[in-house]
Short mmCIF file of all heavy atoms in Angstrom, two decimals:
data_model
loop_
_atom_site.label_atom_id
_atom_site.label_comp_id
_atom_site.label_asym_id
_atom_site.label_seq_id
_atom_site.Cartn_x
_atom_site.Cartn_y
_atom_site.Cartn_z
N ALA A 1 105.68 96.55 103.85
CA ALA A 1 104.99 97.45 102.87
C ALA A 1 104.86 96.65 101.56
O ALA A 1 105.84 96.11 101.00
CB ALA A 1 105.69 98.73 102.68
N VAL A 2 103.63 96.56 101.01
CA VAL A 2 103.30 96.03 99.76
C VAL A 2 103.15 97.18 98.70
O VAL A 2 103.71 97.07 97.57
CB VAL A 2 102.04 95.19 99.82
CG1 VAL A 2 101.63 94.76 98.42
CG2 VAL A 2 102.18 94.07 100.77
N PHE A 3 102.46 98.23 99.04
CA PHE A 3 102.31 99.34 98.21
C PHE A 3 102.16 100.62 99.03
O PHE A 3 101.44 100.57 100.08
CB PHE A 3 101.06 99.23 97.30
CG PHE A 3 100.66 100.48 96.55
CD1 PHE A 3 101.28 100.77 95.33
CD2 PHE A 3 99.82 101.37 97.06
CE1 PHE A 3 101.02 101.98 94.65
CE2 PHE A 3 99.49 102.50 96.40
CZ PHE A 3 100.11 102.82 95.24
N CYS A 4 102.69 101.79 98.60
CA CYS A 4 102.54 103.04 99.25
C CYS A 4 102.38 104.17 98.30
O CYS A 4 102.95 104.06 97.16
CB CYS A 4 103.77 103.31 100.19
SG CYS A 4 104.14 102.06 101.37
N ILE A 5 101.60 105.14 98.65
CA ILE A 5 101.43 106.34 97.74
C ILE A 5 101.35 107.57 98.56
O ILE A 5 100.88 107.60 99.66
CB ILE A 5 100.09 106.05 96.92
CG1 ILE A 5 99.95 107.24 95.87
CG2 ILE A 5 98.82 106.00 97.87
CD1 ILE A 5 98.85 106.91 94.83
N SER A 6 101.86 108.66 98.00
CA SER A 6 101.87 110.00 98.67
C SER A 6 100.52 110.55 98.59
O SER A 6 99.60 110.12 97.87
CB SER A 6 102.86 110.88 98.01
OG SER A 6 102.55 111.13 96.68
N ASP A 7 100.30 111.57 99.52
CA ASP A 7 99.00 112.29 99.50
C ASP A 7 98.66 112.87 98.16
O ASP A 7 97.49 112.86 97.76
CB ASP A 7 99.02 113.38 100.56
CG ASP A 7 97.82 114.12 100.68
OD1 ASP A 7 96.69 113.53 100.76
OD2 ASP A 7 97.83 115.38 100.62
N THR A 8 99.60 113.32 97.45
CA THR A 8 99.44 114.00 96.20
C THR A 8 99.13 113.02 95.03
O THR A 8 98.66 113.20 94.01
CB THR A 8 100.58 114.86 95.74
OG1 THR A 8 101.73 114.03 95.58
CG2 THR A 8 100.85 115.90 96.75
N GLY A 9 99.56 111.74 95.31
CA GLY A 9 99.51 110.67 94.23
C GLY A 9 100.63 110.70 93.30
O GLY A 9 100.64 109.89 92.36
N ASN A 10 101.59 111.68 93.46
CA ASN A 10 102.66 111.69 92.50
C ASN A 10 103.80 110.71 92.71
O ASN A 10 104.57 110.53 91.77
CB ASN A 10 103.31 113.17 92.60
CG ASN A 10 102.41 114.15 92.01
OD1 ASN A 10 101.42 113.89 91.20
ND2 ASN A 10 102.48 115.39 92.57
N ASN A 11 103.85 110.12 93.86
CA ASN A 11 104.98 109.14 94.14
C ASN A 11 104.36 107.87 94.69
O ASN A 11 103.47 107.92 95.61
CB ASN A 11 105.96 109.72 95.17
CG ASN A 11 106.68 110.95 94.55
OD1 ASN A 11 107.55 110.76 93.72
ND2 ASN A 11 106.29 112.13 95.00
N THR A 12 104.83 106.68 94.16
CA THR A 12 104.34 105.41 94.61
C THR A 12 105.43 104.46 94.77
O THR A 12 106.55 104.63 94.26
CB THR A 12 103.36 104.89 93.59
OG1 THR A 12 103.99 104.70 92.28
CG2 THR A 12 102.16 105.77 93.38
N TYR A 13 105.16 103.36 95.52
CA TYR A 13 106.13 102.27 95.79
C TYR A 13 105.36 101.00 95.69
O TYR A 13 104.34 100.86 96.26
CB TYR A 13 106.72 102.47 97.20
CG TYR A 13 107.43 101.29 97.71
CD1 TYR A 13 108.82 101.01 97.32
CD2 TYR A 13 106.86 100.31 98.43
CE1 TYR A 13 109.42 99.90 97.76
CE2 TYR A 13 107.53 99.17 98.87
CZ TYR A 13 108.78 98.95 98.60
OH TYR A 13 109.48 97.85 99.05
N TYR A 14 105.93 100.02 95.00
CA TYR A 14 105.54 98.69 94.97
C TYR A 14 106.70 97.76 95.48
O TYR A 14 107.82 97.98 95.00
CB TYR A 14 105.14 98.15 93.60
CG TYR A 14 103.80 98.66 93.09
CD1 TYR A 14 103.66 99.78 92.25
CD2 TYR A 14 102.59 97.95 93.40
CE1 TYR A 14 102.47 100.23 91.81
CE2 TYR A 14 101.40 98.33 92.94
CZ TYR A 14 101.33 99.51 92.10
OH TYR A 14 100.12 99.91 91.65
N ALA A 15 106.37 96.90 96.32
CA ALA A 15 107.43 96.00 96.79
C ALA A 15 107.88 95.13 95.61
O ALA A 15 107.14 94.71 94.83
CB ALA A 15 106.93 94.97 97.86
N PRO A 16 109.23 94.88 95.51
CA PRO A 16 109.71 94.07 94.41
C PRO A 16 109.04 92.80 94.20
O PRO A 16 108.89 92.33 93.02
CB PRO A 16 111.23 93.94 94.74
CG PRO A 16 111.55 95.13 95.55
CD PRO A 16 110.31 95.40 96.35
N SER A 17 108.63 92.14 95.28
CA SER A 17 107.96 90.84 95.27
C SER A 17 106.52 90.85 94.63
O SER A 17 106.13 89.80 94.16
CB SER A 17 107.91 90.21 96.61
OG SER A 17 107.18 91.00 97.49
N VAL A 18 106.00 92.02 94.50
CA VAL A 18 104.61 92.13 93.98
C VAL A 18 104.49 93.00 92.77
O VAL A 18 103.42 93.03 92.11
CB VAL A 18 103.59 92.57 95.06
CG1 VAL A 18 103.69 91.80 96.38
CG2 VAL A 18 103.80 94.10 95.30
N LYS A 19 105.56 93.72 92.40
CA LYS A 19 105.55 94.60 91.25
C LYS A 19 105.19 93.80 90.00
O LYS A 19 105.80 92.79 89.70
CB LYS A 19 106.80 95.29 91.13
CG LYS A 19 106.87 96.45 90.16
CD LYS A 19 108.20 97.14 90.19
CE LYS A 19 108.20 98.34 89.15
NZ LYS A 19 107.26 99.42 89.60
N GLY A 20 104.24 94.30 89.22
CA GLY A 20 103.81 93.65 87.99
C GLY A 20 102.61 92.75 88.28
O GLY A 20 102.00 92.35 87.27
N ARG A 21 102.35 92.38 89.54
CA ARG A 21 101.23 91.52 89.85
C ARG A 21 100.09 92.22 90.58
O ARG A 21 98.96 91.88 90.42
CB ARG A 21 101.76 90.33 90.69
CG ARG A 21 102.71 89.44 89.94
CD ARG A 21 103.00 88.19 90.76
NE ARG A 21 103.61 88.46 92.04
CZ ARG A 21 102.99 88.12 93.26
NH1 ARG A 21 101.90 87.51 93.26
NH2 ARG A 21 103.66 88.36 94.35
N PHE A 22 100.43 93.24 91.44
CA PHE A 22 99.51 93.96 92.27
C PHE A 22 99.33 95.34 91.60
O PHE A 22 100.23 95.94 91.19
CB PHE A 22 99.96 94.07 93.70
CG PHE A 22 99.97 92.82 94.54
CD1 PHE A 22 99.77 91.60 93.83
CD2 PHE A 22 100.16 92.88 95.83
CE1 PHE A 22 99.78 90.37 94.61
CE2 PHE A 22 100.11 91.68 96.57
CZ PHE A 22 99.94 90.48 96.01
N THR A 23 98.07 95.89 91.72
CA THR A 23 97.85 97.23 91.21
C THR A 23 96.89 97.96 92.22
O THR A 23 95.95 97.35 92.73
CB THR A 23 97.12 97.15 89.82
OG1 THR A 23 97.93 96.44 88.90
CG2 THR A 23 96.87 98.55 89.28
N PHE A 24 97.23 99.22 92.44
CA PHE A 24 96.46 100.11 93.31
C PHE A 24 95.51 100.90 92.48
O PHE A 24 95.82 101.35 91.40
CB PHE A 24 97.40 100.95 94.13
CG PHE A 24 96.69 102.04 94.97
CD1 PHE A 24 96.27 101.80 96.23
CD2 PHE A 24 96.57 103.33 94.46
CE1 PHE A 24 95.69 102.70 96.96
CE2 PHE A 24 95.94 104.33 95.20
CZ PHE A 24 95.52 104.00 96.47
N SER A 25 94.29 101.22 93.12
CA SER A 25 93.39 102.20 92.50
C SER A 25 92.59 102.82 93.59
O SER A 25 92.59 102.37 94.71
CB SER A 25 92.46 101.51 91.47
OG SER A 25 91.55 100.62 92.09
N ARG A 26 91.84 103.84 93.25
CA ARG A 26 91.06 104.59 94.26
C ARG A 26 89.84 105.20 93.60
O ARG A 26 89.78 105.47 92.41
CB ARG A 26 91.85 105.71 94.91
CG ARG A 26 92.20 106.93 94.04
CD ARG A 26 93.24 107.75 94.67
NE ARG A 26 92.99 108.11 96.10
CZ ARG A 26 94.00 108.42 96.96
NH1 ARG A 26 95.23 108.47 96.52
NH2 ARG A 26 93.64 108.71 98.20
N ASP A 27 88.75 105.27 94.38
CA ASP A 27 87.55 105.97 94.00
C ASP A 27 87.25 107.02 95.03
O ASP A 27 86.71 106.72 96.12
CB ASP A 27 86.37 104.91 93.96
CG ASP A 27 85.11 105.54 93.36
OD1 ASP A 27 84.93 106.74 93.42
OD2 ASP A 27 84.24 104.74 92.81
N SER A 28 87.65 108.23 94.67
CA SER A 28 87.54 109.29 95.62
C SER A 28 86.11 109.62 96.08
O SER A 28 85.79 109.97 97.22
CB SER A 28 88.21 110.57 95.16
OG SER A 28 89.65 110.30 95.00
N ALA A 29 85.18 109.46 95.13
CA ALA A 29 83.74 109.69 95.40
C ALA A 29 83.25 108.77 96.47
O ALA A 29 82.37 109.13 97.22
CB ALA A 29 82.94 109.65 94.12
N LYS A 30 83.82 107.59 96.50
CA LYS A 30 83.39 106.56 97.53
C LYS A 30 84.30 106.49 98.78
O LYS A 30 84.09 105.71 99.64
CB LYS A 30 83.29 105.18 96.84
CG LYS A 30 82.24 105.10 95.76
CD LYS A 30 82.25 103.61 95.16
CE LYS A 30 81.13 103.47 94.16
NZ LYS A 30 81.10 102.09 93.61
N ASN A 31 85.34 107.32 98.67
CA ASN A 31 86.34 107.38 99.77
C ASN A 31 86.89 106.02 100.03
O ASN A 31 87.09 105.54 101.18
CB ASN A 31 85.72 107.95 101.07
CG ASN A 31 86.78 108.65 101.87
OD1 ASN A 31 87.76 109.18 101.35
ND2 ASN A 31 86.55 108.62 103.18
N THR A 32 87.28 105.27 98.91
CA THR A 32 87.68 103.92 98.97
C THR A 32 88.97 103.70 98.14
O THR A 32 89.05 104.28 97.12
CB THR A 32 86.60 102.95 98.45
OG1 THR A 32 85.42 103.18 99.22
CG2 THR A 32 87.05 101.50 98.48
N VAL A 33 89.93 102.94 98.67
CA VAL A 33 91.04 102.50 97.93
C VAL A 33 91.03 100.97 97.76
O VAL A 33 90.50 100.30 98.57
CB VAL A 33 92.37 102.97 98.62
CG1 VAL A 33 92.35 104.50 98.65
CG2 VAL A 33 92.56 102.40 100.00
N TYR A 34 91.72 100.51 96.73
CA TYR A 34 91.72 99.08 96.35
C TYR A 34 93.09 98.63 96.17
O TYR A 34 94.09 99.33 95.67
CB TYR A 34 90.87 98.90 95.03
CG TYR A 34 89.50 99.43 95.17
CD1 TYR A 34 89.24 100.71 94.73
CD2 TYR A 34 88.49 98.61 95.61
CE1 TYR A 34 87.93 101.24 94.78
CE2 TYR A 34 87.16 99.15 95.70
CZ TYR A 34 86.89 100.36 95.27
OH TYR A 34 85.63 100.86 95.26
N LEU A 35 93.35 97.34 96.37
CA LEU A 35 94.56 96.52 95.96
C LEU A 35 94.04 95.42 95.15
O LEU A 35 93.54 94.47 95.69
CB LEU A 35 95.33 96.18 97.17
CG LEU A 35 96.73 95.56 96.84
CD1 LEU A 35 97.65 96.63 96.30
CD2 LEU A 35 97.33 94.87 98.06
N HIS A 36 94.44 95.43 93.90
CA HIS A 36 94.12 94.34 92.99
C HIS A 36 95.25 93.46 92.88
O HIS A 36 96.37 93.86 92.50
CB HIS A 36 93.79 94.89 91.56
CG HIS A 36 92.78 96.02 91.56
ND1 HIS A 36 91.39 95.76 91.56
CD2 HIS A 36 92.91 97.38 91.55
CE1 HIS A 36 90.76 96.92 91.55
NE2 HIS A 36 91.56 97.87 91.53
N MET A 37 95.10 92.11 93.23
CA MET A 37 96.12 91.16 93.33
C MET A 37 95.90 90.11 92.34
O MET A 37 94.91 89.38 92.34
CB MET A 37 96.16 90.57 94.69
CG MET A 37 96.30 91.69 95.75
SD MET A 37 96.50 90.91 97.48
CE MET A 37 94.93 90.09 97.69
#
């Protein structure tokens, strides 16, 4: 696992090896999620 997020979006996890370097985002209108590295 690199990143995980709950259905509600209230709880997230970043792997220690990527924390601070990778960022998650989403565009619900486009039904798309992103991982910025």
Side-chain angles (χ1 to χ4, degrees):
V2 175
F3 172 84
C4 304
I5 188 168
S6 62
D7 179 52
T8 64
N10 290 335
N11 294 285
T12 61
Y13 165 86
Y14 284 95
S17 60
V18 308
K19 191 175 181 65
R21 300 189 296 118
F22 291 11
T23 303
F24 173 86
S25 69
R26 71 196 310 157
D27 187 337
S28 294
K30 297 181 178 179
N31 210 29
T32 301
V33 298
Y34 305 90
L35 187 69
H36 309 275
M37 306 184 296

